[in-house]
Amino acid sequence: NTGGMGAISPVIFANIDFISKVETRIIKPTIQGLNQEGINYKGFIFFGLMNVDGDPYVIEYNCRLGDPEAEVVIPRIKNDLLEMFIACHEGRLNEIKVEFDPQFATTVMLVSGGYPEDYQKGKRIRNLDSLKEVLPFHAGTSFDEKRNIITNGGRVIAMTGMAENVNDALYKSNEAAKNLDFDKKYYRTDIGFDLLNLSF
């Protein structure tokens, strides 16, 4: 169940056909381009994409993991990430078998009201001790003089839920987002619902 979050009409961002187009039109040409230029690239390449009538278009390339995408990728990796980074640096990443947690992971980012435009900092964050079912990833937080955790950026904190199915993971993320409290808190309630129409 979706935990009473209400009926939302999901829009599917990526089906099998779209993913195949991404691989043939974007990922493989990128790798071929790096090879043709003689670039021995080591690290992440994050593709920011948009879907226009079923065709993928690149919005941006990033030489890092995307945020908040990292918050659902990293928790599922069972390997020691540092060992993987060292192996990548030493050119032996192919020797490592990457193991993934089979659970689904979803994340909801809580932002300061007004973000990405003007937003205020220094709002006290309450109910952090209630976060039992999620992994909270602090992004824009700090401490005040009394050691209270406060907002200190536009993207404040991401709530990553993990479960055996998408519905339960989404429920955990959304419940945590709802229960955490700070002044002018905002978060999207449609995150992940495009996944509910997909067959896994």
Side-chain angles (χ1 to χ4, degrees):
N1 76 59
T2 58
M5 287 182 281
I8 294 181
S9 298
V11 176
I12 297 175
F13 179 82
N15 58 23
I16 300 290
D17 182 52
F18 182 82
I19 292 169
S20 176
K21 289 177 183 176
V22 169
E23 184 177 343
T24 57
R25 297 181 190 179
I26 297 169
I27 295 174
K28 286 181 178 177
T30 299
I31 293 168
Q32 289 167 353
L34 289 169
N35 290 335
Q36 288 170 0
E37 295 290 327
I39 298 171
N40 183 19
Y41 186 84
K42 296 180 180 182
F44 294 105
I45 296 181
F46 171 79
F47 299 91
L49 305 175
M50 62 185 212
N51 182 337
V52 179
D53 298 325
D55 288 317
Y57 290 88
V58 176
I59 299 172
E60 62 180 347
Y61 283 98
N62 280 309
C63 298
R64 60 171 176 81
L65 278 181
D67 175 53
E69 293 81 6
E71 284 85 334
V72 293
V73 172
I74 300 275
R76 292 191 60 233
I77 297 174
K78 288 184 169 184
N79 303 65
D80 183 318
L81 204 54
L82 180 57
E83 286 181 7
M84 292 173 67
F85 289 154
I86 293 169
C88 180
H89 172 72
E90 294 175 351
R92 53 181 185 79
L93 188 58
N94 62 318
E95 297 172 9
I96 293 182
K97 182 177 188 283
V98 182
E99 295 183 38
F100 291 97
D101 188 317
Q103 294 186 99
F104 289 88
T106 62
T107 200
V108 173
M109 179 67 76
L110 279 66
V111 302
S112 295
Y115 174 82
E117 305 298 328
D118 292 332
Y119 57 87
Q120 295 178 350
K121 299 179 182 180
K123 305 296 184 182
R124 184 174 176 187
I125 302 173
R126 292 180 170 79
N127 302 331
L128 278 166
D129 57 347
S130 72
L131 302 178
K132 309 273 191 255
E133 297 274 324
V134 295
L135 296 168
F137 286 91
H138 291 251
T141 63
S142 187
F143 293 101
D144 66 12
E145 65 282 351
K146 295 180 181 176
R147 301 298 289 166
N148 295 310
I149 298 178
I150 59 172
T151 65
N152 194 41
R155 292 183 178 185
V156 177
I157 191 166
M159 301 297 177
T160 298
M162 296 182 69
E164 298 298 320
N165 61 66
V166 177
N167 288 13
D168 289 346
L170 284 171
Y171 179 73
K172 289 179 180 181
S173 293
N174 279 283
E175 279 296 294
K178 181 173 72 174
N179 292 331
L180 200 71
D181 186 49
F182 57 87
D183 187 39
K184 296 187 173 57
K185 168 187 81 174
Y186 174 78
Y187 64 96
R188 287 176 49 182
T189 57
D190 63 329
I191 298 296
F193 282 89
D194 56 335
L195 297 174
L196 300 182
N197 273 353
L198 297 178
S199 299
F200 294 102

